[in-house]
């Protein structure tokens, strides 16, 4: 091995150690270009060592890049051992010094947030997946060597995003551009991995230096990378440590990864690479670096022999450049801002700012004036009084609602035990933080959400007097979820003073001073309250409240929203109550935020005493003047505001391959089937991960009544013909069982699709499979007997005419029967010129008789003859993602996808086949994805899961998805009834003053039901609470046949379709404002609301018709392939409408929990159950 002069050694060391350390997993000799020029595009034009290169991220603070230079004997000895094991024939391996660089807990770009990300290639990147690896560059007298160390238990991710694709990580040595005769050319690129994932896994499983996970390369003398020589020992040896390690590589966050414990390791006290939001910086290692090693807590090396090291040599490597891309810019982080915010770049980072009409910290923005909701859980251990046993709270639901334009907050916590409920009454601030967050702002002052958004931590210490009980409240606010609700988790720990059950608590109004600092808010106050016991005694008590709120604000002082350092929260009109019957505690309070000195403003906007709509913001004017302005996403005069359907905007609000769904005050974009959101959270790109084509209905199997799609893993599936069909599954043909002789020889065989039926020939009786001769004709039906009787009576009264064929006399009615002997639904009396509807027993249905020249539309209530032999089972075909219209048509329910702007009629298809039923009305449960329908042929109510599955037979047609109830009407029994969703606990709510009740709908948020009665002598639309109280007539004038009824929870409008007046009308049931949507339609049967449209089925047109609910213009018509009468109609949605009522957890009732506005009632089913307890809180 050649020897270099001292000057050569110095030049070599300069070459080895004047390096750029990059957070993307490499060390370069020169400043690297933008990452887009080399990631996934190697080789590149600059000289570098790639330890494990990719688009890596350490911006979340968990990932770190450590580096240090070291010449301690122990470290040099370890480096020499690795080099000698790799090159056992080399002599004179004596490192003079080493540079140690460690990339610890590095994540893939885009995966360092709280959620996993999906690349354009469909590869999942999770923030829990972290890689740690190390590079040691050792300088010797004649050359440099690189030692690369990888975790023994494997890398946790193998690729990182690269544009819309993903690229495997790379390791290797790149010489960069070198000078040629005529031009520069690409130098050596020695890659240690390949384009196969296997090569990356082998980095941890194999070796070239006798120890798995350790790789050694000679990289040459200056200029190095001309010749790369890998280690020569591929067989790993079992090593046993004989001395303590100098340092230990930290384990990774997501799981332990064991790295060679005898290798050099970064110390926590050593220099770290700049986080990824920093610019290029130069770091100087102070001379005290050597003494700090002994103070690090890691095994200290012996420096007794350090004096042999040349001091000039040491000074040459005291400077390193740490290079990281400045990715903390709007270009890389726009998606972290709210959709209602603008991103603004600053000198060393970015900030988000809410747009006019919205407020918040920029990362979360809400519309001014819009009511806000909070949901969460409460846990903890609370001692009460002198009790030695704590009361456990486990996942108790907390719900809060704030009317933002008057600062009124409402809080409810459910399932509170009696042992702690009364004593929790003084703690109105438990959920009252929503009052501070959305308090009514005085001029120049800002509520909590305006300043810090919805992500923060809160800890409060409560000290009660006079008993000195102490309670700690810890709350973690996690921001706004996909339902636009603020999410909070609460923990309680400590002791409360005892308050007896049945006591009432009155909290006095109070003021609280808030002190604001960088990322910290503190406040304190003294609260006084009065306890009145059930016996009437009054106790005055108090407690001291101290709280700290921590948050992460924008780091730029000039970018933060200016706020006074001191503000005062004024809280009054405080109401608290523990409802022991329902184990529910309620708080309510009014909140204002303003100055600690000035007199509160008297303008109605600042007092909250205005008449603006709850979805409007109050704009103050001079003196007592003010105006009301509907908040963003709503339209109106401010006194009355209606939701704007952004999905109807001519400008497409969602991108390509996305579906827009309207929500109150906003909208939501969902990717179409086969597409997923890109990293920007907006663009829908093609999904490349395995797809279950059977579930998504994207297969090419034959129709579901002929073939079945069977998922076989990956993106594969198998098509199989159903029983009664033959073929390859993609094309299935009916088997003619009649040719196989399945019926008796004395029977007729009728082939059907997938089945067949047998019927004995005339003169025989039996099931068709076995037929026996009979001596007489079959027994006549009721209709035939009555017809024969009427004909006989007419014949006997006509004397001479009795000798001829019987016929009815003028003025006599003769029943009409069909070919099976059943009553024809429409019966007419030719002599009287009248027609009417009859039931299956031939009895006239009241109020259906028409005058001369007219005929009512009658429902066919006959039951078709039961098929004989095998019959096709009812089949459920899953509906497409997103919203769909479902409508009933004889023996099936058909679906039409909705794209936010109308019907996708080309994708219409049957979703449910029930060929032996007459389906009339349909309803949908958005929680269990279940469709319910009524069948008048049996009669029955049934349901099926639209994601596939068997049919069941419970009760239900109008669904309360919150309380898990269903309601229905019975036009024969003249009742309105209710039960659980499984059909149990059935109860009749009303059985009086009803003639022909038909449609019924629910309003879960207010606990109300609405139904229509098309009694021809007195049609009406009624309403009541779900518990049967407060029944009243809503509409009675100018009605004809109100067949269809629908309730829109967004606009709070009740709409109906009237076949008598031939109109569609809507009404606000709270304010009784009625309006006509469209006139002159033909014969509507059912109606449903979705977005900005009303969809109704029409018997005359055999069509589904769409009408714009504002303009009244017809926008679409869908004619099913099979032309026949269409009955009920409903919609399926991907998410349930936002609603809450007190029966979401059955309210503590023993049986039926039936909601009503502001409360609920516990009711018993009609079937006697001695365990049932009725009551009303």
């Amino acid at each position: 091995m050649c020897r270099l002069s001292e000057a050569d050694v110095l030049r070599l060391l300069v070459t080895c150690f004047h390096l750029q350390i990059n957070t993307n997993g490499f060390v370069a000799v020169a400043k690297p270009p933008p990452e887009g020029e080399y990631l996934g595009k190697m080789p590149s034009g600059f000289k570098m060592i790639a330890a494990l290169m990719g688009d890596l991220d350490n911006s979340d603070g968990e990932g770190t890049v450590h580096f240090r230079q070291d010449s301690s004997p122990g470290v040099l000895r370890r480096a020499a051992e690795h080099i000698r094991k790799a090159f056992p024939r080399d002599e004179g391996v004596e490192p003079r010094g080493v540079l140690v660089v460690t990339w610890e807990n590095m994540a893939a770009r885009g995966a360092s947030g709280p959620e996993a990300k999906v690349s354009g290639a469909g590869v999942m990147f999770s923030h829990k997946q972290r890689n740690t690896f190390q590079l040691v560059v050792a300088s010797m007298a004649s050359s440099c060597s690189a030692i690369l160390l990888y975790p023994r238990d494997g890398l946790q991710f193998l690729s990182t995003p690269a544009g819309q694709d993903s690229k495997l990580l790379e390791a290797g040595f790149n010489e960069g551009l070198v000078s040629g005769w005529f031009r520069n050319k690409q130098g050596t690129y020695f890659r240690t991995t390949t384009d196969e994932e296997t090569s990356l896994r082998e980095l941890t499983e194999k070796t070239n230096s006798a120890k798995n996970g350790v790789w050694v390369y000679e990289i040459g003398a200056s200029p190095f990378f001309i010749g790369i020589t890998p280690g020569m020992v591929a067989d790993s040896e079992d090593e046993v440590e004989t001395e303590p390690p100098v340092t230990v590589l930290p384990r990774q966050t997501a799981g332990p990864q064991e790295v060679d414990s005898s290798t050099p390791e970064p110390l926590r006290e050593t220099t770290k690479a700049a986080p990824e939001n920093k610019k290029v910086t130069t770091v100087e290692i102070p001379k005290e670096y050597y003494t700090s090693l002994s103070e690090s807590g890691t095994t200290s090396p012996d420096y007794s022999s350090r004096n042999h090291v040349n001091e000039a040599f040491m000074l040459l490597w005291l400077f390193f450049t740490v290079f990281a891309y400045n990715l903390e810019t709007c270009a890389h982080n726009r998606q972290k801002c709210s959709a209602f915010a603008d991103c603004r770049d600053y000198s060393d980072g970015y900030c988000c700012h809410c747009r006019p009409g919205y407020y918040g910290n920029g990362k979360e923005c809400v519309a001014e004036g819009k009511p806000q909701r909070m949901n969460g859980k409460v846990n903890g251990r609370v001692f009460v009084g002198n009790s030695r046993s704590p009361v456990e709270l486990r996942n108790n639901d907390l719900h809060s609602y704030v009317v933002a334009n008057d600062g009124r907050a409402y809080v409810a916590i459910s399932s509170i035990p009696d042992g702690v409920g009364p004593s929790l009454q003084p703690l109105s601030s438990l959920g009252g933080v929503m009052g501070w967050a959305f308090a009514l702002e005085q001029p120049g002052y800002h509520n909590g959400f305006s300043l810090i958004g919805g992500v923060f931590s809160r800890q409060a210490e409560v000290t009660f007097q006079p008993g000195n009980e102490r309670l700690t409240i810890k709350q973690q606010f996690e921001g706004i979820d996909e339902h636009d609700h603020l999410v909070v988790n609460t923990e309680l720990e400590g002791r409360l003073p005892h308050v007896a059950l049945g006591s009432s608590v009155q909290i006095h109004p109070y003021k609280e001073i808030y002190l604001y600092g960088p990322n910290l808010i503190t406040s304190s106050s003294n609260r006084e309250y009065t306890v009145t016991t059930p016996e009437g005694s009054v106790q005055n008590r108090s407690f001291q409240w101290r709280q700290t709120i921590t948050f992460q604000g924008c780091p730029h002082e000039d970018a933060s929203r200016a706020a006074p350092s001191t503000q005062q929260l004024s809280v009054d009109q405080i109401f608290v109550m523990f409802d022991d019957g329902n184990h529910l505690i309620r708080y309510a309070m009014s909140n204002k935020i303003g100055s600690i000195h000035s007199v509160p403003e008297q303008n109605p906007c600042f007092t909250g005493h205005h008449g603006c709509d709850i979805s409007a913001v109050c704009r103050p004017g001079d003196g007592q003047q003010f105006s009301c302005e509907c908040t963003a996403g709503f339209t109106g005069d401010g006194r009355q505001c209606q939701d704007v359907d952004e999905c109807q905007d001519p400008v497409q609000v969602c991108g390509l391959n996305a579906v827009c769904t309207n929500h109150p005050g906003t909208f939501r974009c969902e990717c179409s089937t086969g597409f997923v959101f890109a990293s920007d959270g907006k663009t829908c790109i093609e999904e490349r991960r395995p797809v279950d084509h059977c579930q998504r209905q994207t297969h090419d199997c034959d129709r579901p009544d002929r073939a079945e799609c069977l998922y076989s893993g990956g993106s594969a599936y198998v098509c199989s013909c159903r029983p009664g069909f033959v073929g390859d599954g993609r094309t299935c043909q009916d088997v003619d069982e009649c040719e196989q002789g399945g019926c008796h020889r004395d029977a007729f065989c009728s082939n059907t699709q997938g089945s067949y039926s047998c019927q004995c020939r005339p003169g025989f009786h039996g099931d068709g499979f076995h037929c026996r001769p009979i001596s007489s004709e079959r027994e006549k039906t009721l209709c035939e007997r009555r017809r024969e009787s009427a004909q006989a009576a007419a014949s006997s009264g006509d004397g001479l005419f009795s000798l001829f064929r019987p016929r009815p006399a003028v003025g006599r009615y003769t029943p009409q029967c069909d070919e099976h002997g059943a009553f024809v639904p429409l019966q007419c009396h030719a002599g009287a010129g009248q027609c009417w509807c009859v039931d299956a027993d031939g009895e006239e249905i009241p109020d259906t008789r028409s005058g001369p020249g007219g005929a009512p539309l009658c429902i066919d209530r006959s039951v078709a003859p039961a098929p004989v032999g095998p019959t096709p089972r009812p089949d459920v075909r899953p509906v497409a993602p997103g919203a769909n219209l479902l409508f009933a048509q004889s023996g099936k329910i058909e679906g039409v996808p909705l794209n936010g702007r109308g019907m996708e009629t080309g994708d219409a298809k049957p979703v449910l086949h029930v060929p032996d039923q007459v389906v009339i009305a349909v309803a949908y449960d958005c929680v269990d994805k279940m469709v319910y329908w009524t069948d008048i042929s049996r009669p029955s109510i049934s349901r099926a899961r639209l994601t596939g599955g068997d049919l069941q037979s419970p009760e239900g047609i109008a669904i309360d998805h919150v309380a898990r109830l269903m309601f229905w009407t019975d036009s024969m029994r003249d009742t309105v009834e209710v039960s659980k969703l499984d059909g149990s606990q059935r109860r009749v709510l009303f059985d009086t003053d009803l003639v022909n009740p038909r449609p019924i709908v629910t309003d879960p948020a207010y606990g109300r039901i609405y139904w229509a009665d098309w009694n021809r002598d007195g049609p009406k639309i009624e309403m009541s609470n779900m518990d049967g109280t407060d029944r009243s007539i809503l509409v009675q004038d100018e009605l004809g046949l109100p067949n269809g009824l629908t309730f829109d929870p967004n606009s709070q409008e009740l709409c109906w379709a009237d076949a008598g007046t031939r109109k569609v009308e809507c009404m606000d049931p709270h304010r009784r404002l009625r309006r006509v949507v469209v006139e002159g339609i033909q014969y509507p049967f059912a109606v449903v609301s979705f977005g900005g449209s009303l969809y109704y089925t029409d018997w005359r047109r055999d069509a589904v018709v769409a009408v714009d609910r504002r303009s009244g213009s017809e926008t679409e018509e869908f004619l099913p392939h099979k032309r026949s009468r269409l009955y009920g109609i409903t919609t399926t949605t991907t998410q349930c409408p936002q609603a809450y009522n007190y029966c979401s957890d059955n309210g503590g009732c023993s049986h039926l929990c039936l909601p009503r506005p502001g409360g609920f009632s516990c009711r018993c089913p009609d079937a006697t159950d001695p365990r049932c307890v009725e009551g009303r809180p």
Side-chain angles (χ1 to χ4, degrees):
M1 183 177 291
C2 64
R3 305 293 298 178
L4 300 181
S5 66
E6 187 67 22
D8 291 334
V9 172
L10 295 178
R11 284 193 298 271
L12 175 61
L13 292 172
V14 170
T15 303
C16 286
F17 290 100
H18 277 192
L19 305 173
Q20 303 274 341
I21 301 170
N22 193 286
T23 52
N24 276 344
F26 65 87
V27 175
V29 173
K31 180 179 178 179
E35 59 184 358
E37 297 182 14
Y38 64 84
L39 286 179
K41 300 177 181 180
M42 294 296 291
S44 187
F46 65 100
K47 188 172 294 186
M48 50 90 82
I49 303 174
L52 197 62
M53 184 175 66
D55 194 359
L56 305 181
D57 189 2
N58 72 333
S59 61
D60 60 356
E62 292 189 36
T64 311
V65 182
H66 304 269
F67 66 91
R68 78 174 189 274
Q69 69 284 335
D70 204 328
S71 61
S72 61
V75 172
L76 296 180
R77 183 169 58 252
R78 292 296 179 186
E81 288 177 3
H82 284 300
I83 297 172
R84 291 191 189 104
K85 288 179 180 179
F87 302 99
R89 298 179 182 179
D90 283 5
E91 298 178 356
V93 179
E94 297 179 0
R96 298 287 188 91
V98 297
L99 168 67
V100 183
V101 185
T102 305
W103 291 265
E104 179 186 356
N105 290 334
M106 302 297 287
R109 170 69 55 196
S112 60
E115 299 296 336
K117 308 293 183 184
V118 182
S119 76
V123 179
M124 183 72 72
F125 297 103
S126 171
H127 72 285
K128 296 182 180 179
Q129 295 176 327
R130 304 275 174 165
N131 282 339
T132 296
F133 50 95
Q134 195 171 60
L135 167 67
V136 179
V137 181
S139 65
M140 293 169 287
S142 59
S143 67
C144 294
S145 291
I147 306 170
L148 297 126
L149 304 103
Y150 303 99
R152 288 180 178 175
D153 57 351
L155 299 169
Q156 295 189 358
F157 64 89
L158 304 178
S159 62
T160 59
Q164 294 297 319
D165 205 348
S166 64
K167 295 291 185 181
L168 292 176
L169 300 171
E170 291 187 55
F173 305 85
N174 184 58
E175 187 179 8
L177 294 178
V178 297
S179 299
W181 286 103
F182 301 102
R183 58 185 176 83
N184 293 339
K185 64 178 181 179
Q186 180 65 47
T188 302
Y189 178 42
F190 186 92
R191 187 174 177 184
T192 61
T193 58
T194 68
D195 290 330
E196 299 293 331
E197 290 186 358
T198 304
S199 67
L200 287 164
R201 295 191 179 97
E202 289 179 349
L203 290 178
T204 64
E205 299 169 355
K206 295 185 178 182
T207 182
N208 67 3
S209 63
K211 193 162 189 177
N212 288 343
V214 181
W215 301 78
V216 180
Y217 300 87
E218 283 189 358
I219 56 179
S222 177
F224 54 78
F225 295 174
I226 294 179
I228 305 295
T229 304
M232 303 171 62
V233 182
D235 295 328
S236 179
E237 61 185 27
D238 294 328
E239 294 185 346
V240 179
E241 296 291 346
T242 58
E243 59 182 9
V246 176
T247 54
V248 179
L249 187 65
R251 296 186 182 274
Q252 301 190 55
T253 302
Q257 289 191 324
E258 187 178 350
V259 182
D260 177 27
S261 60
S262 65
T263 62
E265 157 56 20
L267 302 176
R268 292 294 180 180
E269 290 78 4
T270 63
T271 308
K272 296 182 180 181
E276 295 207 16
N277 62 343
K278 300 296 183 183
K279 296 182 177 180
V280 179
T281 57
T282 302
V283 182
E284 180 177 350
I285 311 290
K287 293 181 180 179
E288 290 79 12
Y289 171 84
Y290 296 103
T291 58
S292 70
L293 278 172
S294 62
E295 299 168 359
S296 67
T298 310
T299 305
S300 302
D302 180 12
Y303 292 104
S304 59
S305 60
R306 201 189 98 197
N307 54 6
H308 79 279
V309 181
N310 189 312
E311 290 300 325
F313 161 80
M314 295 303 301
L315 292 175
L316 285 174
W317 58 359
L318 295 183
F319 296 91
F320 299 95
T321 301
V322 180
F323 185 91
Y325 294 95
N326 180 18
L327 297 178
E328 291 297 294
T329 63
C330 291
H332 293 89
N333 297 279
R334 176 63 186 85
Q335 71 278 5
K336 294 182 180 179
C337 296
S338 166
F340 307 109
D342 295 317
C343 186
R344 192 177 304 164
D345 283 317
Y346 294 86
S347 58
D348 57 351
Y350 73 96
C351 273
C352 306
H353 302 272
C354 296
R355 295 170 186 159
Y358 296 86
Y359 64 99
N361 66 345
K363 292 192 174 180
E364 293 184 316
C365 301
V366 298
E368 292 180 348
K370 181 180 179 182
Q372 300 298 324
R373 295 179 183 272
M374 178 177 73
N375 293 329
K377 298 292 183 180
V378 179
N379 293 277
R381 299 168 68 252
V382 179
F383 296 84
V384 178
N386 297 321
S387 173
R388 296 183 178 181
S389 300
V391 177
E392 299 279 350
L393 299 176
R394 297 178 181 174
N395 289 327
N396 297 69
D397 287 322
L398 183 152
H399 299 278
S400 180
Y401 179 81
V402 178
V403 182
N405 61 17
D406 66 11
R408 186 74 175 163
Y410 304 86
V411 183
I413 306 175
S414 62
S415 304
I416 300 294
D418 291 347
V420 71
S423 301
L424 281 173
Q425 292 180 93
L427 290 179
S428 60
S429 291
L430 192 61
V433 65
M434 279 287 281
W436 165 77
F438 298 101
L440 187 62
E441 298 173 335
Q442 303 301 298
Y445 294 86
H446 306 295
N447 59 33
F449 193 89
S450 296
L451 297 173
I452 67 174
V455 179
F456 57 92
S457 299
R458 178 203 199 202
Q459 179 165 330
E461 303 292 337
V462 190
T463 304
F464 294 89
Q465 299 299 335
N468 205 38
E469 297 91 348
R470 296 177 183 270
L471 180 75
T472 299
I473 303 172
K474 295 181 180 179
Q475 292 181 304
Q476 189 66 42
F477 292 80
E478 300 175 355
I480 297 176
D481 64 11
E482 66 275 13
H483 302 295
D484 293 329
H485 293 177
L486 188 61
V487 178
V488 61
N489 286 313
T490 302
E491 291 186 9
L492 304 179
E493 190 75 30
R495 186 176 296 274
L496 292 169
H498 179 261
V499 175
L501 185 65
S503 300
S504 63
V505 173
Q506 177 64 49
I507 301 177
H508 302 173
Y510 62 90
K511 300 181 185 299
E512 187 169 1
I513 305 299
Y514 281 74
L515 303 176
Y516 295 79
N519 298 335
L520 179 68
I521 301 173
T522 60
S523 72
S524 62
S525 63
N526 291 314
R527 315 276 180 87
E528 297 180 348
Y529 62 98
T530 301
V531 178
T532 303
T533 65
E535 294 78 21
S537 64
V538 178
Q539 304 170 7
N540 293 317
R541 301 181 183 179
S542 66
F543 63 83
Q544 188 177 55
W545 172 277
R546 290 188 177 91
Q547 72 173 350
T548 300
I549 296 173
T550 57
F551 61 97
Q552 184 61 51
C554 179
H556 313 289
E557 293 184 2
D558 60 332
S560 61
R561 181 173 180 179
S565 60
T566 304
Q567 296 190 121
Q568 179 173 272
L569 179 71
S570 300
V571 183
D572 56 15
Q573 301 180 46
I574 306 169
F575 166 81
V576 298
M577 184 188 74
F578 175 63
D579 181 355
D580 60 322
N582 297 295
H583 305 291
L584 189 73
I585 191 164
R586 296 190 180 97
Y587 307 106
M589 65 217 72
S590 293
N591 307 269
K592 297 182 180 67
I593 195 82
S595 170
I596 63 175
H597 302 297
S598 63
V599 177
E601 290 282 343
Q602 297 304 310
N603 186 285
C605 289
F606 303 122
T607 63
H609 300 148
H610 51 73
C612 299
D613 190 274
I614 61 172
S615 297
V617 61
C618 183
R619 302 292 187 193
D622 296 332
Q624 297 294 308
Q625 299 298 312
F626 68 94
S627 61
C628 300
E629 179 182 318
C630 292
T631 189
F634 292 84
T635 183
D637 61 3
R639 300 281 184 173
Q640 296 180 10
C641 299
Q642 296 85 34
D643 175 50
V644 174
D645 188 351
E646 293 87 352
C647 298
Q648 297 291 341
D649 196 308
V651 179
Q652 192 173 18
V653 293
C654 295
L656 294 175
N657 305 312
V659 176
C660 178
T661 305
N662 188 57
H663 292 271
T666 184
F667 63 94
R668 193 165 286 128
C669 297
E670 299 172 355
C671 290
S672 303
T673 303
F675 294 86
V676 295
F677 283 117
S679 58
D680 63 1
K682 295 181 178 180
T683 307
C684 292
I685 58 177
E686 188 174 359
E687 186 178 26
R688 298 184 183 177
R689 71 173 92 182
V691 175
D692 184 348
H693 292 282
C694 296
Q695 182 180 12
R696 294 177 178 265
Q697 293 294 305
T698 54
H699 57 79
D700 59 352
C701 300
D702 206 340
R703 288 171 14 192
D705 57 336
R706 296 178 179 176
E708 184 177 10
C709 180
L710 303 173
Y711 177 62
S712 57
S715 296
Y717 60 91
V718 176
C719 299
S720 175
C721 293
R722 294 190 181 278
F725 295 90
V726 293
D728 61 1
R730 287 170 171 79
T731 302
C732 298
Q733 296 179 342
D734 176 54
V735 175
D736 190 348
E737 293 87 353
C738 294
E739 295 181 355
Q740 301 174 1
C743 298
H744 191 270
R745 63 177 180 273
D746 294 319
F748 294 112
C749 181
S750 299
N751 186 57
T752 59
Q753 289 292 305
S755 184
Y756 68 103
S757 63
C758 302
Q759 185 175 1
C760 294
R761 297 176 182 274
F764 296 85
H765 69 92
D767 60 5
F769 296 98
H770 301 87
C771 298
R772 298 188 303 273
I774 56 178
S775 57
S776 61
E777 298 179 359
R778 67 171 173 83
E779 183 180 355
K780 290 182 173 60
T781 65
L782 176 62
C783 180
E784 290 171 333
R785 292 197 300 272
R786 289 184 180 177
R787 181 178 61 185
E788 192 174 85
S789 175
Q791 291 173 341
S795 169
S796 63
D798 288 343
L800 179 63
F801 293 103
S802 63
L803 301 175
F804 300 93
R805 183 175 60 85
R807 63 181 179 85
V810 177
R812 187 180 300 276
Y813 159 67
T814 301
Q816 291 98 51
C817 311
D818 64 15
E819 64 273 19
H820 301 292
F823 288 96
V824 175
L826 178 64
Q827 298 284 327
C828 294
H829 191 307
Q834 295 180 340
C835 294
W836 60 92
C837 299
V838 298
D839 59 19
D841 295 326
E843 297 299 324
E844 180 178 349
I845 298 175
D847 301 310
T848 61
R849 187 176 291 265
S850 66
L857 287 172
C858 303
I859 297 174
D860 187 356
R861 299 175 182 268
S862 63
V863 181
V868 179
T871 60
R873 72 173 183 84
D875 181 71
V876 179
R877 184 171 184 173
V879 298
N884 293 264
L885 278 179
L886 298 183
F887 60 88
Q889 186 181 30
S890 187
K892 66 179 180 179
I893 296 175
E894 192 157 337
V896 183
L898 297 172
N899 60 15
R901 292 173 295 277
M903 296 181 285
E904 294 182 351
T905 56
D907 294 330
K909 60 187 177 185
V911 298
L912 178 70
H913 293 269
V914 280
D916 58 339
Q917 298 186 23
V918 180
V919 180
I920 298 299
V922 288
Y924 181 68
D925 174 23
C926 58
V927 176
D928 291 333
K929 312 300 183 188
M930 194 83 73
V931 64
Y932 292 76
W933 70 93
T934 57
D935 168 26
I936 63 168
S937 66
R938 297 181 188 270
S940 67
I941 298 176
S942 304
R943 70 180 179 184
R945 193 180 304 278
L946 286 187
T947 54
D950 294 330
L951 298 181
Q952 304 171 44
S953 292
E955 310 285 340
I957 194 57
I959 307 298
D960 177 352
H961 67 277
V962 180
R964 316 305 292 146
L965 298 170
M966 57 184 169
F967 299 81
W968 70 94
T969 60
D970 191 316
S971 61
M972 300 302 292
R973 289 162 47 87
D974 295 335
T975 57
V976 175
E977 304 184 44
V978 65
S979 77
K980 293 285 191 179
L981 280 182
D982 61 0
S984 65
Q985 302 181 28
R986 178 174 176 179
R987 178 185 177 93
V988 174
L989 293 177
F990 304 111
D991 58 3
T992 60
D993 298 325
L994 294 170
V995 178
N996 285 309
R998 179 175 287 169
I1000 184 170
V1001 292
T1002 62
D1003 178 9
Y1006 283 87
R1008 288 199 175 107
I1009 55 175
Y1010 303 89
W1011 68 93
D1013 187 333
W1014 55 275
N1015 173 15
R1016 291 180 184 272
D1017 294 330
K1020 59 186 176 180
I1021 298 175
E1022 294 188 82
M1023 61 181 285
S1024 77
N1025 299 330
M1026 288 183 176
D1027 63 356
T1029 60
D1030 297 337
R1031 178 182 179 182
S1032 63
I1033 295 177
L1034 188 64
V1035 184
Q1036 196 170 19
D1037 299 329
E1038 299 181 26
L1039 290 178
L1041 295 173
N1043 279 344
L1045 201 61
T1046 183
F1047 183 81
D1048 181 13
N1050 296 333
S1051 65
Q1052 289 289 302
E1053 275 195 323
L1054 181 74
C1055 300
W1056 63 92
D1058 194 316
T1061 64
R1062 299 172 62 193
K1063 296 179 183 177
V1064 174
E1065 297 184 71
C1066 292
M1067 169 181 277
D1068 182 334
H1070 308 290
R1071 294 176 289 182
R1072 305 296 175 100
L1073 300 177
R1074 178 177 178 180
R1075 64 186 181 89
V1076 176
V1077 177
V1078 62
E1079 297 182 88
I1081 59 178
Q1082 296 191 33
Y1083 202 103
F1085 185 84
V1087 64
V1088 69
S1089 173
F1090 181 80
S1093 298
L1094 292 169
Y1095 298 85
Y1096 67 90
T1097 55
D1098 193 296
W1099 274 14
R1100 302 282 190 199
R1101 298 166 64 173
D1102 293 335
V1104 177
V1105 183
V1107 174
D1108 187 282
R1109 62 185 305 139
R1110 290 299 167 194
S1111 66
S1113 60
E1114 180 177 321
T1115 58
E1116 281 185 285
E1117 178 188 55
F1118 172 60
L1119 299 171
H1121 179 69
K1122 178 183 177 182
R1123 299 297 297 276
S1124 63
R1125 285 181 179 174
L1126 308 183
Y1127 293 92
I1129 189 170
T1130 189
T1131 59
T1132 71
T1133 55
T1134 55
Q1135 295 180 331
C1136 291
Q1138 299 177 18
Y1140 170 78
N1141 62 43
Y1142 292 97
C1143 291
S1144 58
D1145 57 357
N1146 208 47
C1149 297
S1150 63
H1151 287 67
L1152 284 172
C1153 178
L1154 302 180
R1156 55 182 169 83
F1160 63 95
S1161 299
C1162 296
R1163 292 288 182 259
C1164 295
D1166 290 339
T1168 304
D1169 188 339
R1171 299 170 300 173
C1172 183
V1173 178
E1174 287 199 345
R1176 177 176 175 178

